[in-house]
Amino acid sequence: RITSFKTKKPLVSLDKISLSFGKRKILDNVSFKINQGEILGLLGPNGAGKSTIFNLITGLIQPDYGTVSFNNINATSYPIFLRTIKFKIGFVPQNGGYFHDLTTIENLKAIGEILISDTKERLSKIDMLISKFELDAVANIKAHLLSGGQKKKLVIALTLLGDPKILLLDECFAALDVLTIKMLQQIIVNLQAENNIGICICDHQARDLLSCVDVAMIISNCKIVAKGSPSKLISNPIAKSAYFGDSFKIN
C-alpha cells in the first residue's frame, strides 16, 4: 500500500464547515482534505456527521458556513450534476445504487450509455469491469438476486464507468462476511494503486476500515477530534476516549 506521499494534491477540501439541522448542530468548523492517491477513513459514533460530510461533498446539502472546493475551485454552490461531471465524483451508497430488476450486464449497459457515447469504448469498458470484478458468472442474473458482496462489486463497477477522480464509499463493509470484506479491501487498495484516485471510506467497522486506509479521522461532538495513520490513531488518547475505548486493537 501507498502510505506516504511526496506531494499532496488535494482533490477535495472542506474548509471551516458548519452545519445545523434546526437547533441541532451537526458539524462545527470542520476542515480536512482528500488527496489524490490517498485512502481516507471517517470514523465516529452514530449521528456524528459522517454521512452528512458525504452529502456536503456531493452537493446534496449545503453548509451553513464554510466552503467545499475541488482542485482549489470553490464549488460550494455547484449543484450535484455539475460537481459529478466537472470533478468526476463517484459515490457508492450503503444500500442500493443499482437497478433491481435489471441484470448485472444490463445495469452496466444502462449507465454506460449515459456516460460513454462511443459504443466500442463503452462495450470494452464494460467487458473490462466484468472481468476485473469477476462478475462473469452473474452477468445475466438480476441485481436483486446477487449476494451482498456481488452487489457491492456491481455498484463499484457502475461508479468506475465514469472514471471518477474521487470515490466515496458509505458503509461499504456493513453486513458482509469476512471473506467478502477482505475482497473489498483488496479492490479498494488496488483502485488506489492502479487509478491513483482519492478514496474516502465511512464505516462503523473500525478494524476493517483501518486495515485498508492510509489515514483516518475521528468525528465526535460535531468536530474532528483526532486524525492520523491507523497505528497512531488507535494509540491517541483522545481517539480512545471519543471512540475506540481502551481495549481496541486492529489485529
Side-chain angles (χ1 to χ4, degrees):
R1 285 181 31 222
I2 303 170
T3 56
S4 62
F5 305 89
K6 292 180 179 178
T7 57
K8 291 188 177 182
K9 180 184 177 183
L11 297 177
V12 185
S13 301
L14 275 68
D15 186 39
K16 299 178 180 177
I17 294 289
S18 293
L19 176 71
S20 298
F21 294 148
K23 294 183 178 180
R24 183 189 171 202
K25 185 171 284 294
I26 306 298
L27 299 171
D28 183 16
N29 199 35
V30 167
S31 299
F32 71 92
K33 294 175 171 54
I34 303 173
N35 295 303
Q36 183 175 6
E38 179 180 62
I39 306 177
L40 171 68
L42 300 182
L43 291 168
N46 283 326
K50 302 183 299 297
S51 294
T52 300
I53 285 175
F54 278 5
N55 292 336
L56 286 163
I57 292 172
T58 58
L60 187 62
I61 57 177
Q62 301 292 319
D64 297 329
Y65 304 99
T67 59
V68 180
S69 301
F70 298 88
N71 301 324
N72 297 317
I73 299 172
N74 186 343
T76 310
S77 61
Y78 283 27
I80 295 173
F81 77 92
L82 186 55
R83 294 187 193 204
T84 303
I85 294 170
K86 188 176 180 66
F87 305 112
K88 291 188 172 291
I89 304 170
F91 177 53
V92 177
Q94 179 180 357
N95 298 303
Y98 53 86
F99 298 106
H100 289 238
D101 288 329
L102 296 184
T103 66
T104 298
I105 189 70
E106 288 170 345
N107 265 278
L108 287 162
K109 287 181 177 179
I111 301 302
E113 287 176 4
I114 298 170
L115 298 174
I116 306 171
S117 56
D118 183 86
T119 303
K120 187 176 180 180
E121 179 187 349
R122 181 170 65 248
L123 294 176
S124 175
K125 188 75 172 286
I126 289 171
D127 287 343
M128 181 273 291
L129 288 169
I130 287 176
S131 176
K132 181 183 183 72
F133 290 104
E134 299 178 352
L135 293 169
D136 312 68
V138 295
N140 296 308
I141 303 296
K142 288 194 174 184
H144 72 275
L145 298 174
L146 301 178
S147 69
Q150 290 166 342
K151 288 175 181 175
K152 282 295 185 210
K153 290 198 291 186
L154 172 58
V155 178
I156 295 174
L158 291 171
T159 305
L160 293 179
L161 280 169
D163 292 323
K165 299 296 183 185
I166 304 152
L167 184 61
L168 308 175
L169 299 160
D170 191 7
E171 301 282 353
C172 61
F173 302 127
L176 296 177
D177 61 82
V178 174
L179 288 177
T180 302
I181 288 171
K182 293 293 183 187
M183 173 200 68
L184 282 178
Q185 289 172 331
Q186 191 61 55
I187 286 172
I188 291 165
V189 172
N190 287 345
L191 285 175
Q192 176 202 40
E194 295 168 7
N195 299 55
N196 198 30
I197 63 179
I199 301 173
C200 187
I201 308 171
C202 158
D203 210 287
H204 286 297
Q205 308 294 328
R207 287 183 180 83
D208 298 323
L209 182 145
L210 292 173
S211 295
C212 67
V213 302
D214 301 308
V215 63
M217 59 188 191
I218 308 291
I219 303 171
S220 182
N221 294 322
C222 312
K223 295 179 178 291
I224 297 172
V225 297
K227 183 177 180 180
S229 66
S231 58
K232 289 182 179 179
L233 197 64
I234 61 173
S235 61
N236 185 314
I238 298 175
K240 286 184 178 181
S241 174
Y243 187 70
F244 293 123
D246 292 327
S247 61
F248 180 85
K249 294 180 180 179
I250 294 180
N251 297 316

